[in-house]
């Protein structure tokens, strides 16, 4: 069966800045694919290329079996898209706006059934479609954006940071909508810099950093969730000795030890730990532990810890990733600017 999205050697330059380095990506039909990466990694550039909002400098892209540059409105009707930056400023109510989208795009299914679905989704997400969209809060505008993407049950959903502005309850509802879409046979490409939402939905993941895919596979194999940030304050130790002792604990890296700023006389230690936390807990037992936090680091920290710093200038990738596809840059002559 043909992949829903096939991207080969996709390269995109903005002037001297290379945003994407010969990217390869395959998304199988009926799956949820998560594209994750820190800010500026190239997620939005990749997604916009799939929709022909941006033209590649070189490389090939096929979406639902077609070249997005030639697919025109017929192809776009088969796709639901939530842009990363959503601007809804009109006087029209949510209802009118969605009816307008349903009509002008001639979306599949009758307008009436599309609008019924829109109303159901609005109830579910708790957004008032009678209000002028410009008066809605950021989160409620985002919900209208989600509804317009989902309401015609497109074959492919392309969602760029779709939960931005949503509260945790609505994020959960959104993730349920994604799973239901997958169960109904739709394909979902979801970009995010929040690891947990990808962990909860995606069948497959690609980690993008500085325009390169540094790892891909199923979520568990990428081990991104195995990195923890720890902060501990210990009494009865000196900073240099604590630094040396913590560095010896298996899985620990990036140790920073200093005297605590308060009057406690303790030593504050911060570090990241990958894998089993037990050796760290056992090592702590020899100290007076005054405070301890263990938390998920931000994605940038996890990517750096596991895959190093894939700077655009580096020709080779680090060695610890489950799969990686380093490529050499070559000359490009494609269009530079955004379309539309
Ligand atoms: P974020 O999570 O911050 O939205 P992202 O992963 O979506 O980031 P992109 O927006 O695709 O990343 O940006 C990738 C790189 O391309 C960045 O270095 C960015 O500065 C650059 N870039 C993006 N759009 C343009 C543009 N129109 N002109 C010049 N450079 C751009």
């Amino acid at each position: 069966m043909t992949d829903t999205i096939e991207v080969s050697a996709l390269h995109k330059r903005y002037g001297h800045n290379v945003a994407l380095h010969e990217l390869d990506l395959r998304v199988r039909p009926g799956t949820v694919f998560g594209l994750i990466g820190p800010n500026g990694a190239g997620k939005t550039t990749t997604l916009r290329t799939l929709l022909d909002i941006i033209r590649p400098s070189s490389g090939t892209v096929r979406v639902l079996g077609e070249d997005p540059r030639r697919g025109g409105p017929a192809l776009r009707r088969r796709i639901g898209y939530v842009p990363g930056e959503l601007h809804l400023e009109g006087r029209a109510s949510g209802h009118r706006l969605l009816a307008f989208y349903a009509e002008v795009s001639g979306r599949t299914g009758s307008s009436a059934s599309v609008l019924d679905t829109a109303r159901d989704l609005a109830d579910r997400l708790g957004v008032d479609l009678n209000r002028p969209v410009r008066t809605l809060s950021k989160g409620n505008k985002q919900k209208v954006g989600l509804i317009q993407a989902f309401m015609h049950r497109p074959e492919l959903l392309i969602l760029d940071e779709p939960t931005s502005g949503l509260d945790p309850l609505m994020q959960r509802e959104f993730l349920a909508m994604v799973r239901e879409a997958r169960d109904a046979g739709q394909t979902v490409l979801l970009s995010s810099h929040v690891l947990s939402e990808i962990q909860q939905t995606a069948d497959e993941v690609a980690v993008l950093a500085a325009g390169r895919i540094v790892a891909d596979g199923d979520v568990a194999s990428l081990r991104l969730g195995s990195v923890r940030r720890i902060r501990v304050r210990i009494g009865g130790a000196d900073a240099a000795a604590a630094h040396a002792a913590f560095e010896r604990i298996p899985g620990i890296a990036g140790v920073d030890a200093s005297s605590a700023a308060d009057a406690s006389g303790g030593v504050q230690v911060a570090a990241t730990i990958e894998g089993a936390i037990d050796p760290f807990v056992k090592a702590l037992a020899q100290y007076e532990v005054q405070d301890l936090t263990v938390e998920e680091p931000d994605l940038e920290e996890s990517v750096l810890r596991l895959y190093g710093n894939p700077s655009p200038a580096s020709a080779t990738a680090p060695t610890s990733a489950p799969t990686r596809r380093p490529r050499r840059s070559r000359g490009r002559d494609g269009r530079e600017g955004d379309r539309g």
Side-chain angles (χ1 to χ4, degrees):
M1 199 190 283
T2 317
D3 286 333
T4 303
I5 294 172
E6 297 173 65
V7 170
S8 301
L10 174 63
H11 199 87
K12 176 63 187 176
R13 276 190 324 238
Y14 294 105
H16 294 299
N17 182 13
V18 180
L20 298 176
H21 296 259
E22 302 197 18
L23 209 73
D24 293 330
L25 202 66
R26 294 272 181 281
V27 179
R28 288 178 292 118
T31 61
V32 178
F33 192 99
L35 190 60
I36 55 177
N39 291 129
K43 303 181 296 293
T44 297
T45 300
T46 305
L47 300 192
R48 288 185 178 171
T49 306
L50 300 176
L51 293 147
D52 194 36
I53 298 169
I54 290 176
R55 295 255 162 108
S57 302
S58 64
T60 59
V61 176
R62 293 190 80 75
V63 176
L64 293 165
E66 297 195 50
D67 177 349
R69 292 173 70 161
R70 300 202 175 76
L75 175 59
R76 283 195 286 274
R77 252 174 234 141
R78 300 167 65 193
I79 302 170
Y81 173 52
V82 175
E85 285 165 30
L86 188 65
H87 298 288
L88 294 177
E89 299 304 335
R91 287 164 193 244
S93 68
H95 274 308
R96 279 198 58 192
L97 190 69
L98 293 171
F100 173 74
Y101 286 151
E103 196 153 328
V104 290
S105 62
R107 286 175 176 177
T108 48
S110 75
S111 276
S113 77
V114 171
L115 291 175
D116 283 346
T117 308
R119 266 187 285 273
D120 291 346
L121 290 172
D123 286 346
R124 201 167 159 181
L125 293 169
V127 57
D128 181 359
L129 294 181
N130 295 311
R131 285 178 58 176
V133 285
R134 67 174 177 187
T135 67
L136 295 175
S137 67
K138 180 177 187 305
N140 282 325
K141 283 181 183 169
Q142 188 68 15
K143 292 174 191 174
V144 175
L146 291 174
I147 294 169
Q148 64 78 32
F150 278 78
M151 67 183 182
H152 59 304
R153 303 185 196 283
E155 286 163 69
L156 171 63
L157 284 151
I158 297 181
L159 311 174
D160 193 357
E161 306 271 357
T163 57
S164 100
L166 296 188
D167 61 42
L169 204 63
M170 286 305 124
Q171 287 180 16
R172 274 210 294 279
E173 201 57 50
F174 162 76
L175 295 177
M177 284 162 56
V178 168
R179 284 190 285 265
E180 286 163 26
R182 189 236 338 255
D183 293 347
Q186 295 165 270
T187 307
V188 184
L189 175 59
L190 173 68
S191 95
S192 179
H193 60 262
V194 183
L195 181 59
S196 52
E197 69 188 30
I198 297 288
Q199 280 174 320
Q200 289 174 56
T201 48
D203 302 298
E204 266 187 86
V205 183
V207 182
L208 197 60
R212 290 186 163 92
I213 292 185
V214 293
D216 57 12
D218 60 58
V219 182
S221 75
L222 297 186
R223 297 178 296 130
L224 284 166
S226 70
V227 178
R228 293 279 177 273
R229 164 143 285 275
I230 53 163
R231 284 176 230 281
V232 59
R233 196 174 67 215
I234 51 181
D238 98 3
H243 189 279
F246 275 78
E247 281 210 313
R248 284 196 294 273
I249 301 173
I252 290 257
V255 178
D256 178 37
S258 56
S259 300
D262 57 24
S264 64
V267 170
Q268 188 74 45
V269 184
T272 58
I273 185 163
E274 186 200 341
I277 202 160
D278 188 59
F280 162 69
V281 174
K282 298 268 164 48
L284 273 189
Q286 65 184 294
Y287 299 103
E288 176 210 343
V289 179
Q290 298 174 345
D291 196 10
L292 171 66
T293 56
V294 180
E295 57 195 30
E296 188 178 284
D298 63 28
L299 190 62
E300 184 142 24
E301 222 170 342
S302 299
V303 169
L304 279 174
R305 174 72 205 269
L306 292 169
Y307 306 116
N309 185 5
S311 74
S314 69
T316 51
T319 52
S320 62
T323 60
R324 60 183 70 255
R325 296 169 288 188
R327 287 173 171 274
R328 227 173 285 140
S329 296
R330 48 176 206 235
R332 303 287 148 193
D333 58 358
R335 285 176 42 152
E336 292 302 325
D338 295 10
R339 264 189 79 244

